[in-house]
Amino acid sequence: MIITVTPNISLDKTLVVENFEIGKTHRVKDITAIPGGKGVNASRALLGMGYIAPVLGFIGGNTGQNILNMFDHEGIKYDVVKINRETRTCYNVVDPINHTQTEVLENGPVVTDNDINLLEAKIVSYVKEDTIVCMGGSLPIGAPQDLYVRLVESINLKGGRVILDASGDRLKEGIKGKPFAVKPNRAEVESILGFSLDSDENIKKALDYFVAVGVTLPVISMGKDGVAFYYDGRYYRITPPVLKALNAVGSGDSTVAGIALGLEKKLDIVEAVRLGAAMGSANVLTLKPGEVRKTDVDEILPRVGVTVI
Amino acid sequence: MIITVTPNISLDKTLVVENFEIGKTHRVKDITAIPGGKGVNASRALLGMGYIAPVLGFIGGNTGQNILNMFDHEGIKYDVVKINRETRTCYNVVDPINHTQTEVLENGPVVTDNDINLLEAKIVSYVKEDTIVCMGGSLPIGAPQDLYVRLVESINLKGGRVILDASGDRLKEGIKGKPFAVKPNRAEVESILGFSLDSDENIKKALDYFVAVGVTLPVISMGKDGVAFYYDGRYYRITPPVLKALNAVGSGDSTVAGIALGLEKKLDIVEAVRLGAAMGSANVLTLKPGEVRKTDVDEILPRVGVTVI
């Protein structure tokens, strides 16, 4: 079984505003709202492949209820901890005339120790031998900085495998729990390691950093340059075909979903990461973050190359 | 009795964002959300004076439910037509560093003929001889352009009195129904008449325009310059004291509320408009649009001057 965990679920609103300017009053041209967050996007990508992976996380207030209604509408299953505070909304003002994107992110609700304990108990209740947990993103206010360590350890203890996709301190802290896999993107890795991933040598050095702390399968997504990963003594680079991108947001999350699906299907690890890369590529062909069509993945997968580096 | 009618109620969100810049990603510093719209603000102002005037309008979706919860919390009474589509949200990004305000307004839900008929029936059910109806603002998509004419005529027929506060075509159309009073602001009048209200002569000409179509009490709010109005053969100017403004948004709506309260209390018309001007001034001393403290009004009212122009 695969579950996804998103501690800081958000309602992602895209406001299309022509000629967006500071200090002016504008009418929106178009507006879309969709539940977002790394685990949510991974569940959406898995649904596109015909696989149901429930979303776990915190949900509160009217915005939270709105999100649950949208999950129902999309067919995304969920098992959430209800909290008293309002789930956050993130805004992206897209200007199609000047080609700008201006984002405003709410901080999200404060969660209590009790909320955290309820989420942990809920996650652990799903975990059996071979359960795969896709987990990641930012943490809500009030969550301990070492939440990911704690959750990873609890999941490991019951024989589950975690794919952690986080950045900054959440990633640096989280790997102390020894997740089975991590899937940061290039910029996130460069930010915590302080050097540029501009050569195979540096990419290997970055993968080694994660291996050294006990990560079995470190994966770095690199946008159009594909995916680099380490497994069982070897370094690999996966190169997807070049596609005309409609919206690349959520490709990393779709890659995580694909790796999870590969593990769930007991594919070879290299094949699992190839499936991840194919799903990450397929995501750029759709508008919604995490939206993936199985027909696209079937078409892309044979064109995804693997090389040992 | 006083009722207020707001066909296009909105959830007004103020996002405080430091150094707001096009093309960047920002975290909000602070966020407040409050139900807005001209009638809503008038009901809030009346509540501040200890008078309960229910809000009538359309409400839909989770945003609508959110607004009703906020009304309950504020103590604002309402009697709304529930619609299937989502009530709109309006965003104001306030940058306290660069002193900018950037607004993005949603268009709001589409309403059907049936929704319109239900609202009209609801309004009319409240109207008796001497009922005062504060009505105004933009119209939702799907509402006929002559909605205000139709509503004003229905209210007049039952002996009620309308104070219409609208702009542009809604004002030009609405006055054809012969509302008892109108209360546009200076810019709105200048926009429909095409000349500047920079002299008493032009102000009188503007007031005459409304009198000519059958408005009994045309009132023009002019910000710090107070209020000009016509009644029963005379032109007046009302001058409130100069106050240190915290937030002037909603002062016009508070002025409408004060005029309604004066009519309800059967004050002389001049005294009713003076009360309106005092409440409009009191509103600038508070943060919320339409928020008025009775103690402020009591203190301001004796300092409001009236002159015949």
Side-chain angles (χ1 to χ4, degrees):
Chain A
M1 181 180 198
I2 307 172
I3 63 171
T4 71
V5 177
T6 315
N8 212 1
I9 294 176
S10 64
L11 182 65
D12 291 347
K13 277 202 172 188
T14 302
L15 307 165
V16 177
V17 175
E18 294 182 344
N19 294 310
F20 187 54
E21 252 184 278
I22 303 288
K24 294 282 162 71
T25 296
H26 315 79
R27 291 206 168 262
V28 296
K29 193 85 183 155
D30 191 23
I31 183 161
T32 54
I34 184 177
K38 287 180 186 289
V40 171
N41 292 344
S43 283
R44 182 174 296 123
L46 286 163
L47 187 66
M49 299 297 287
Y51 189 92
I52 306 255
V55 169
L56 280 73
F58 301 110
I59 281 290
N62 279 291
T63 304
Q65 188 52 52
N66 211 341
I67 285 177
L68 297 186
N69 296 347
M70 289 173 171
F71 281 160
D72 287 338
H73 187 76
E74 284 194 78
I76 292 177
K77 300 294 172 201
Y78 50 86
D79 186 359
V80 294
V81 175
K82 296 279 178 81
I83 55 174
N84 285 328
R85 306 287 292 268
E86 189 86 11
T87 291
R88 70 185 176 139
T89 303
C90 294
Y91 308 91
N92 187 5
V93 180
V94 174
D95 180 346
I97 305 288
N98 299 314
H99 305 289
T100 60
Q101 295 203 9
T102 307
E103 287 183 275
V104 177
L105 315 179
E106 288 183 12
N107 292 316
V110 175
V111 296
T112 64
D113 286 350
N114 188 46
D115 297 330
I116 297 281
N117 293 339
L118 287 172
L119 180 63
E120 182 171 14
K122 208 178 263 294
I123 294 168
V124 169
S125 76
Y126 277 90
V127 180
K128 298 190 183 62
E129 203 72 38
D130 283 339
T131 301
I132 297 139
V133 182
C134 305
M135 186 158 76
S138 63
L139 295 178
I141 298 170
Q145 270 306 308
D146 65 350
L147 177 62
Y148 280 141
V149 191
R150 191 172 131 185
L151 294 177
V152 170
E153 285 174 345
S154 302
I155 294 162
N156 285 349
L157 217 60
K158 292 193 69 183
R161 283 181 288 180
V162 175
I163 308 176
L164 180 65
D165 188 2
S167 60
D169 287 342
R170 270 96 51 208
L171 177 59
K172 280 202 287 192
E173 278 292 316
I175 53 178
K176 292 181 187 163
K178 300 192 203 314
F180 176 76
V182 293
K183 203 290 308 147
N185 65 32
R186 185 206 306 240
E188 288 161 352
V189 173
E190 289 176 342
S191 157
I192 66 165
L193 295 188
F195 58 80
S196 171
L197 302 194
D198 51 6
S199 65
D200 284 351
E201 192 189 346
N202 279 358
I203 289 171
K204 287 181 185 178
K205 220 166 88 182
L207 292 168
D208 284 342
Y209 165 81
F210 295 107
V211 173
V213 289
V215 176
T216 305
L217 175 64
V219 181
I220 303 172
S221 59
M222 307 197 293
K224 276 178 280 187
D225 294 334
V227 157
F229 71 100
Y230 168 94
Y231 182 69
D232 197 19
R234 279 186 164 163
Y235 303 88
Y236 300 84
R237 183 193 281 272
I238 289 196
T239 320
V242 177
L243 302 172
K244 202 167 141 47
L246 203 59
N247 181 11
V249 177
S251 280
D253 309 329
S254 304
T255 298
V256 167
I259 297 170
L261 189 57
L263 295 175
E264 173 72 5
K265 288 179 165 178
K266 309 212 183 295
L267 301 183
D268 277 0
I269 292 291
V270 174
E271 284 308 300
V273 185
R274 268 189 79 222
L275 179 58
M279 283 176 62
S281 288
N283 174 70
V284 309
L285 301 175
T286 64
L287 271 177
K288 281 189 198 174
E291 191 182 9
V292 157
R293 288 180 294 250
K294 190 173 183 308
T295 48
D296 289 337
V297 176
D298 291 344
E299 196 272 323
I300 292 166
L301 194 56
R303 298 157 65 200
V304 177
V306 184
T307 48
V308 174
I309 55 175
Chain B
M1 181 181 198
I2 307 171
I3 64 170
T4 71
V5 177
T6 315
N8 213 0
I9 294 176
S10 64
L11 182 65
D12 291 347
K13 277 202 173 188
T14 302
L15 306 165
V16 178
V17 175
E18 293 182 344
N19 294 310
F20 187 53
E21 251 184 278
I22 303 287
K24 293 283 161 70
T25 296
H26 315 79
R27 290 204 169 264
V28 296
K29 192 86 183 155
D30 191 23
I31 183 161
T32 54
I34 184 177
K38 287 181 186 290
V40 171
N41 292 343
S43 283
R44 182 175 295 122
L46 286 163
L47 187 66
M49 299 298 287
Y51 189 91
I52 305 253
V55 170
L56 279 74
F58 302 110
I59 281 289
N62 279 291
T63 304
Q65 188 52 52
N66 211 342
I67 285 176
L68 296 186
N69 296 346
M70 288 173 171
F71 281 159
D72 287 338
H73 186 76
E74 283 194 78
I76 292 177
K77 300 294 172 203
Y78 51 86
D79 187 0
V80 294
V81 175
K82 297 279 178 81
I83 55 174
N84 285 328
R85 306 287 292 269
E86 189 85 10
T87 291
R88 70 186 176 139
T89 304
C90 294
Y91 308 91
N92 187 4
V93 181
V94 174
D95 180 346
I97 305 288
N98 299 314
H99 306 288
T100 60
Q101 295 203 10
T102 307
E103 287 184 274
V104 176
L105 315 179
E106 288 183 11
N107 292 316
V110 175
V111 296
T112 63
D113 286 350
N114 188 45
D115 297 331
I116 297 280
N117 293 339
L118 287 172
L119 180 64
E120 182 171 14
K122 207 178 264 293
I123 294 168
V124 169
S125 75
Y126 278 90
V127 179
K128 298 189 183 62
E129 203 71 39
D130 283 339
T131 301
I132 297 139
V133 182
C134 305
M135 186 158 75
S138 62
L139 295 178
I141 298 170
Q145 270 306 310
D146 66 349
L147 177 62
Y148 281 141
V149 190
R150 190 172 132 185
L151 294 178
V152 170
E153 285 175 345
S154 302
I155 294 161
N156 285 348
L157 218 59
K158 293 192 68 182
R161 283 182 288 180
V162 175
I163 308 175
L164 180 65
D165 188 2
S167 60
D169 287 342
R170 270 96 51 208
L171 177 60
K172 280 202 287 193
E173 279 291 316
I175 53 178
K176 292 181 187 164
K178 301 193 203 313
F180 176 76
V182 293
K183 203 290 308 147
N185 65 33
R186 185 206 306 240
E188 288 160 352
V189 174
E190 289 176 342
S191 158
I192 66 166
L193 295 188
F195 57 81
S196 171
L197 302 194
D198 51 6
S199 65
D200 283 351
E201 191 189 345
N202 279 358
I203 290 171
K204 287 182 186 177
K205 220 165 89 182
L207 291 168
D208 284 342
Y209 165 80
F210 295 107
V211 173
V213 290
V215 176
T216 306
L217 175 64
V219 181
I220 303 171
S221 59
M222 307 198 292
K224 277 178 280 188
D225 294 334
V227 158
F229 71 99
Y230 167 94
Y231 183 69
D232 198 18
R234 279 186 164 165
Y235 304 88
Y236 301 84
R237 183 194 281 273
I238 289 197
T239 321
V242 177
L243 302 172
K244 203 168 140 48
L246 203 58
N247 180 11
V249 176
S251 280
D253 309 329
S254 304
T255 298
V256 167
I259 296 169
L261 189 57
L263 295 175
E264 173 72 5
K265 288 179 165 178
K266 310 213 182 293
L267 301 183
D268 277 359
I269 292 291
V270 174
E271 284 308 300
V273 185
R274 268 189 78 223
L275 179 58
M279 283 177 61
S281 288
N283 174 69
V284 310
L285 301 175
T286 64
L287 270 178
K288 281 189 198 174
E291 191 181 10
V292 158
R293 288 180 294 250
K294 190 173 183 309
T295 47
D296 288 337
V297 176
D298 291 344
E299 196 272 323
I300 292 166
L301 194 56
R303 298 157 64 200
V304 177
V306 184
T307 49
V308 173
I309 55 176

